């Protein structure tokens, strides 16, 4: 009987799904019939996920409170009392260093290393720096084009920003972003100088 009921329910759902794509009165009627069940299922799923997330966060906080040292507990309390972002960042970095998380930032050979193309990221850093320091405008632009690809080398992966208390990723990612920004500023300055020089030449 359970198997028959399951098949009957599946057939009924497929029939209603078919009605939702058939134009006319049945399309409108099936939409009204399915609207509330779908809304209920959607919001119920969201509510369950929200409750599970809250429970998980509370469990993590409880475990941190039980297992972390007195020093780390005091450092976390100081973080919550930070007066501004600079103060907060300095205190979170201090906690990261105390917990040894700064080692994770320095290395690229940890368990996550195989998921990212750090060799390619470092190659891009070298190419950008070499072209910029050599005054090669087109070479810098060519290297920057490779950096505009979505999540190049995996540098924007969420897990890279979730390990440290400060939210800072590995140092190679920070170096890569800094080099991209510096190269963009350098290109902007070069283009501005060319524009000023051209205007002076035309004016002369």
């Amino acid at each position: 009987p359970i198997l028959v009921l399951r098949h009957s329910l599946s057939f009924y759902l497929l029939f209603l799904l078919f009605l939702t794509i058939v134009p006319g009165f049945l399309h409108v009627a099936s939409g009204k019939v399915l609207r509330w069940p779908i809304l209920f299922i959607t919001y119920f799923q969201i509510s369950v996920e929200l409750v599970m997330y809250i429970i998980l966060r509370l469990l993590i906080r409880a475990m941190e409170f039980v297992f972390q040292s007195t020093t780390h507990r005091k450092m976390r309390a100081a973080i919550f009392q930070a007066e501004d972002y600079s103060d907060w960042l300095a205190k979170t970095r201090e906690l990261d260093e105390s917990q040894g998380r700064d080692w994770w930032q320095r290395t690229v050979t940890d368990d996550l290393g195989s998921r990212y193309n750090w060799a390619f990221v470092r190659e891009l850093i070298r190419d950008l720096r070499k072209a910029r320091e050599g005054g090669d405008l087109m070479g810098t632009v060519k290297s920057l084009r490779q950096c505009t690809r979505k999540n190049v080398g995996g540098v924007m992966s969420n897990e890279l920003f979730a390990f440290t208390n400060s939210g800072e990723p590995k140092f190679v990612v920070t170096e890569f972003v800094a080099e991209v920004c510096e190269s963009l500023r350098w290109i902007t300055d070069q283009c501005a100088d060319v524009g000023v020089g051209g205007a002076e030449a035309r004016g002369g």
Side-chain angles (χ1 to χ4, degrees):
I2 296 178
L3 185 60
V4 174
L5 179 61
R6 182 179 301 175
H7 284 296
S8 300
L9 182 60
S10 301
F11 176 78
Y12 174 72
L13 291 176
L14 288 174
F15 178 71
L16 289 178
L17 180 64
F18 173 76
L19 292 180
T20 60
I21 62 176
V22 177
F25 173 76
L26 292 178
H27 176 78
V28 177
S30 61
K32 292 181 179 180
V33 171
L34 293 176
R35 178 175 56 186
W36 295 111
I38 291 176
L39 284 174
F40 173 78
I41 293 173
T42 301
Y43 284 109
F44 177 76
Q45 182 178 0
I46 294 174
S47 301
V48 170
E49 291 180 356
L50 178 61
V51 171
M52 293 299 296
Y53 173 78
I54 294 174
I55 293 175
L56 180 60
R57 294 305 305 174
L58 290 175
L59 287 174
I60 292 175
R61 290 293 299 273
M63 293 179 65
E64 289 178 345
F65 181 80
V66 172
F67 293 105
Q68 69 182 349
S69 65
T70 304
T71 302
H72 291 163
R73 193 176 300 126
K74 291 180 179 179
M75 295 175 72
R76 285 191 180 277
I79 290 174
F80 285 109
Q81 297 175 359
E83 298 180 356
D84 51 33
Y85 175 73
S86 299
D87 186 26
W88 177 89
L89 182 59
K91 291 177 178 178
T92 53
R93 284 176 173 175
E94 184 181 358
L95 179 58
D96 285 333
E97 183 176 353
S98 177
Q99 294 178 334
R101 296 175 188 264
D102 57 328
W103 173 87
W104 175 86
Q105 290 182 280
R106 289 193 299 269
T107 185
V108 294
T109 58
D110 57 338
D111 294 338
L112 298 178
S114 59
R115 305 182 188 178
Y116 304 94
N117 194 347
W118 296 129
F120 178 62
V121 173
R122 284 176 166 170
E123 181 181 354
L124 287 176
I125 295 174
R126 288 194 299 268
D127 291 344
L128 285 171
R129 189 170 296 159
K130 180 179 179 181
R132 177 171 54 81
E133 293 177 351
D136 185 359
L137 182 61
M138 295 308 300
T140 305
V141 172
K142 181 180 178 181
S143 297
L144 280 173
R145 285 178 179 173
Q146 299 184 66
C147 302
T148 57
R149 290 184 294 178
K150 183 178 180 181
N151 198 22
V152 56
V155 297
M156 297 306 295
S157 177
N158 292 333
E159 62 183 354
L160 290 177
F161 299 85
F163 185 79
T164 61
N165 295 283
S166 63
E168 295 179 298
K170 289 181 176 293
F171 291 144
V172 64
V173 177
T174 304
E175 183 182 5
F176 170 74
V177 173
E179 186 59 42
V180 169
C181 293
E182 183 64 27
S183 297
L184 287 171
R185 282 192 291 266
W186 180 77
I187 289 177
T188 303
D189 293 339
Q190 295 300 309
C191 293
D193 293 341
V194 170
V196 172
E200 291 177 350
R202 288 193 296 270

